[in-house]
Each structure stands twice: as structure tokens, then as C-alpha cells.
Amino acid sequence: MQVFNVKNNVYSIGVSDKGLRVFDIMMETKHGSTYNSYLIKEEGGVTIIDGVKAQFTAKWLDNIRSLVAIEDIKYLVVQHTEPDHSGAIPALLALNPNIEVYGSFMAMANLKEINNASFKSNVVRPKQELKLSERQSLFFHPVPNVHWPDTIITHDPLNAIAFTCDFLGQHIAPPQLRYSQEKNKQIIEEEIKLYYDAIMAPFKNDALKSVATLKSLDVSMVLNSHGYILDTKEAVDWAVDKYIKWSTVHKSDKLTVTVVFASAYGYTKSMKDVVVDELLKAAALVHVFEVPNDDLATIVTRIEESDALLVASPTFVGDGIKPIYDVLNSLNPVMGYGKYFSAFGSFGWSGEAIRNYMNRASELRFKIIDEGFKVRLKPSEKEFDDTRLYARNFISKVKAELNK
Ligand SMILES: Cc1cc2nc3c(=O)[nH]c(=O)nc-3n(C[C@H](O)[C@H](O)[C@H](O)COP(=O)(O)O)c2cc1C
Ligand SMILES: [Fe+2]
Ligand SMILES: [Fe+2]
């Protein structure tokens, strides 16, 4: 990626990783990615904002040297310490140990563990000013958890630029970085959504707080750290509106419960029917899904909107079954936190599924308020009554907890 002037004294000094096919173990990146990094060339105070991945250190240093001498760098702002942005920083600090490094408390603590040598660390307070010159200052705005606890946004009011690191990024490695100059907007639209889903979606509340912070600033350009930069006010508004839409969870006022079930011979299914009947009698809003048939992404969205998740499943080979674990494995402790969980179902002889789902849900920080419920093989009339009782107990406990 070529060095280019973004606006006035702000330059792009990032690198392209076109061949990247998997990011962070989990995310497919079929268009590669870029690690965007920026340099502000102000007389008496050259500033670098964010680094790049370690394997691109040489290219990054060359990019910097094409604009300034390494000795002339005065400040380094570390907005996020994930190694795709911090990996190359130890090499820079080794070349110029006088650089004053700025970042959140968490970022400075993390960088200590990445640099493994002392450096000039400055923990920033919310809205703290860093004066680069008489005419130009940077202001730091902590926006934790988009997507690490260390993240900040840096505002340059002189140029109406916000540096946002991962926030509003996309994994794509285009030949030129300006959103306004890309004709194929569809590809950016797809990639910003894939990036949001993989990286930001667990932190919807924090994403909304970051949007509010960004909206409170005078910004006509967002310089992010992956893919296209949002180089017009329209582009910024477009991306921010998407983040608002994707981060807004539509929670009903009613008690809302998602029920996910699987059943080979219909025994668990018949138990599910009476549980759903009890939920409806209690005036709950109920979303029922059967796995593996129903769409996983929709199931996860409904769980996010719910107060509780109920899982209904038989035991197979001493454990729960893959389609139910696929649902649980699509959640994380941020999503589970504050929600209630229970599991029930039919079993043949050992019935481990229920206990194992409850354990997994507990790891996902769901609140566990009963022991689950299981019936051996085909439920009898008495066992259906017990199933109803189990459901009623669960509902009344959840209602009592929510009214606390
Ligand atoms: C392939 C297979 C493996 C099973 N393994 C177990 C097991 O390890 N422990 C157990 O309690 N039941 C086991 N079962 C029995 C089922 O849990 C039982 O038949 C249950 O009633 C099925 O309920 P469903 O009709 O809702 O699927 C197994 C059943 C199948 C088909
Ligand atoms: Fe990151
Ligand atoms: Fe990143």
C-alpha cells in the first residue's frame, strides 16, 4: 500500500495484507485486509497513530521514513493493542526510545506485555488534550470494548477527523483506500457487516456508546484501521447508521423466552409443547426453534432479545447433541450475562445432556435457577404434569428475579 496524503498534514502509512484468508482464527477474510496507520506531520511534533502487524514492520518503517526521520517522531497514540495494530510497535520504540506513547490505562498495561521493555507511557483521561502545536491538538475519548477493553477514539478537530481503529472497519485490501472513490459500494457494505458480526456484535451496548461519542464530535472523516477510510461526511453517516441499526436490540416489554429444541422420536418435542403452553399461559412472548433445521443467526438474534433461553434435547452417547451445542457455541458470556437458562428433555438410561447444557450455560454467564428437568423415554401423564410444574417454577422464578 502506498503512502498518501489523506488531508492537510495527515498521511496514511499503513500496509496491505492482501493474502490474509483468516483473521483472529475465527473470521474468513476472502478479500484480505489492511492495517491502516497514520502520521500527522506537524512542525515540532510528528505523531503516529496506531501500528501494524509484526510481519509488516519493515514496510511500515519504510513508509514512515518516506515522510520523516524516525528521530523526529515525538508521539505515538496506541488506540488498541491487539497485535494486528501493535505488533510492529516494539521495533519503532527500539529505534526511538524517546517517543511519548499515549493510550488508555489498559492499552499501556497491554503494551508493556508486548514491548517487554520500558517505554514512555502516558495514560490518557477522557477528553484529555495532547497539544501538537499552537494550532493543532488531539483529544482522546475512551470507548471501551469496541472490541477490547483498551480502545479509544482520537479526535483531531483542526481536520475534523476521528481516528477509530477497528470501529467502523472492514477486512478488505483495496488498491486505494478512499470510500468515496470506490465504485463498488456493495462490497464495502458486505464487508463492514461481516466485520461487525465477527468482531463488534458481542458488544452492542458499547458500540452504541461509541457511536454516541463519535456523534458528539465534529467529524467529517473517519480514519479506521482496516479497509476503506470513510473520507466524507456522507460515508461516516452511512457507516454510523449501520452500526446503530445492527447494535439496537428490540426488546419487548413482555417476558420473552426463546425455546430451542431437537427430538429424534418426539418425546422431547412433546415435553417442549407443554412447556411452551405454560409460557403462553403466563403471557410470555415465546420464540420456538427446532435445530438443526432453523437458521442459526435468527436463533441467536431472538436469544439476544430474550430474558431467558430454554433448551430441550435428548441425550445421545453420554452427552448433549451437536445442533444444540452449535447454538450455545454461537453465544458468548457477554450475550448470556443477565439472562436465565434451563434445559430439559427425554433420555434413555444416563441423561447427561441436561447437566452438561446447564454447565455450559453457566460458563456463558446465564443465571441458573433450577436443575433442569428430565424424563426417561416417553413421558407419562404424571410426567407431563411434572413437566408443567417444572415450567411454572421456572417462569415464576424468572418473573420474581426480573421484578427485583
Ligand atoms: C444414537 C443414540 C444415542 C443415545 N445415547 C444415549 C445415552 O448415552 N444416554 C441416554 O440417556 N440416552 C441415550 N439415547 C436415548 C435417547 O436419549 C432417548 O431415546 C430419548 O428418549 C430420545 O428422545 P427424543 O425422542 O426426544 O429424541 C440415545 C439415543 C440414540 C438414538
Ligand atoms: Fe482488534
Ligand atoms: Fe484490528
Side-chain angles (χ1 to χ4, degrees):
M1 212 157 76
Q2 296 306 311
V3 170
F4 67 94
N5 179 245
V6 183
K7 184 177 179 183
N8 299 330
N9 61 346
V10 179
Y11 294 81
S12 167
I13 54 164
V15 299
S16 175
D17 190 358
K18 244 177 140 50
L20 185 79
R21 287 297 169 268
V22 179
F23 181 79
D24 273 5
I25 307 168
M26 317 282 284
M27 188 186 171
E28 190 193 356
T29 48
K30 58 176 188 282
H31 303 295
S33 193
T34 64
Y35 311 110
N36 303 345
S37 165
Y38 302 96
L39 185 147
I40 305 176
K41 199 173 168 183
E42 185 66 351
E43 195 92 4
V46 173
T47 304
I48 305 251
I49 300 184
D50 292 331
V52 301
K53 205 171 173 176
Q55 73 195 80
F56 298 95
T57 302
K59 170 74 174 136
W60 183 54
L61 294 175
D62 282 350
N63 287 352
I64 295 172
R65 287 192 186 104
S66 74
L67 295 168
V68 298
I70 300 286
E71 306 81 72
D72 292 341
I73 300 169
K74 201 160 172 190
Y75 307 117
L76 169 67
V77 180
V78 176
Q79 303 194 104
H80 172 39
T81 45
E82 192 171 359
D84 54 334
H85 309 292
S86 65
I89 287 175
L92 179 69
L93 295 179
L95 289 170
N96 181 352
N98 293 323
I99 295 176
E100 295 285 347
V101 185
Y102 287 79
S104 67
F105 175 80
M106 236 346 203
M108 293 302 92
N110 290 352
L111 192 62
K112 198 166 155 250
E113 303 297 329
I114 290 170
N115 198 47
N116 291 324
S118 66
F119 62 92
K120 294 189 169 177
S121 162
N122 299 273
V123 171
V124 304
R125 295 181 313 275
K127 300 188 183 174
Q128 184 176 325
E129 177 179 6
L130 172 62
K131 233 172 165 9
L132 306 186
S133 66
E134 271 313 305
R135 60 169 200 154
Q136 191 172 20
S137 286
L138 298 178
F139 293 85
F140 303 116
H141 299 271
V143 285
N145 299 324
V146 289
H147 62 122
W148 276 22
D150 60 350
T151 43
I152 62 170
I153 286 176
T154 301
H155 185 219
D156 167 7
L158 181 72
N159 291 312
I161 288 174
F163 299 88
T164 64
C165 203
D166 287 338
F167 191 68
L168 306 174
Q170 334 93 42
H171 281 317
I172 187 163
Q176 72 80 31
L177 285 190
R178 289 181 190 277
Y179 174 94
S180 64
Q181 284 175 26
E182 174 56 60
K183 288 200 183 69
N184 184 0
K185 298 281 196 282
Q186 168 131 18
I187 193 166
I188 310 179
E189 179 137 13
E190 282 165 19
E191 288 300 328
I192 197 170
K193 173 78 164 109
L194 289 172
Y195 190 86
Y196 177 91
D197 285 346
I199 308 289
M200 298 294 167
F203 308 100
K204 293 191 165 70
N205 268 333
D206 300 293
L208 286 175
K209 285 184 200 158
S210 304
V211 162
T213 299
L214 191 62
K215 276 182 169 265
S216 73
L217 308 172
D218 173 26
V219 171
S220 59
M221 193 183 270
V222 158
L223 299 187
N224 50 20
S225 64
H226 297 289
Y228 288 97
I229 60 169
L230 306 168
D231 60 333
T232 62
K233 181 89 178 76
E234 292 68 41
V236 173
D237 289 345
W238 167 83
V240 161
D241 284 349
K242 298 252 171 239
Y243 264 50
I244 293 173
K245 184 172 153 219
W246 298 327
S247 303
T248 305
V249 175
H250 300 279
K251 175 75 189 76
S252 161
D253 292 339
K254 277 183 162 185
L255 170 68
T256 307
V257 181
T258 295
V259 180
V260 181
F261 79 98
S263 185
Y265 301 101
Y267 298 160
T268 300
K269 188 178 181 190
S270 64
M271 295 171 73
K272 178 270 302 175
D273 288 340
V274 304
V275 168
V276 169
D277 188 50
E278 287 300 324
L279 286 165
L280 293 174
K281 276 198 222 155
L285 173 62
V286 191
H287 305 294
V288 183
F289 296 100
E290 182 169 17
V291 285
N293 302 354
D294 290 340
D295 175 56
L296 194 53
T298 310
I299 297 174
V300 171
T301 302
R302 293 294 166 264
I303 293 170
E304 285 193 286
E305 295 164 0
S306 296
D307 300 298
L309 169 62
L310 283 171
V311 151
S313 160
T315 294
F316 276 14
V317 203
D319 197 359
I321 57 172
K322 184 172 178 297
I324 296 283
Y325 280 122
D326 285 345
V327 173
L328 297 179
N329 289 339
S330 303
L331 307 175
N332 57 57
V334 180
M335 292 170 172
Y337 183 73
K339 299 190 194 299
Y340 298 85
F341 179 92
S342 189
F344 63 96
S346 168
F347 71 105
W349 49 93
S350 51
E352 295 89 343
I354 304 309
R355 183 199 64 212
N356 293 352
Y357 294 141
M358 304 287 276
N359 287 342
R360 181 64 189 131
S362 169
E363 289 171 355
L364 290 167
R365 293 174 80 200
F366 280 92
K367 284 196 187 169
I368 307 296
I369 47 173
D370 62 20
E371 294 181 339
F373 181 71
K374 59 191 178 197
V375 165
R376 205 151 103 72
L377 297 168
K378 186 177 174 183
S380 64
E381 282 311 310
K382 158 85 172 59
E383 285 166 331
F384 276 129
D385 288 345
D386 292 345
T387 308
R388 278 188 191 280
L389 208 57
Y390 153 77
R392 274 184 220 149
N393 274 333
F394 180 78
I395 294 162
S396 64
K397 278 184 187 163
V398 171
K399 280 190 167 171
E401 291 262 336
L402 289 175
N403 287 333
K404 262 185 196 166

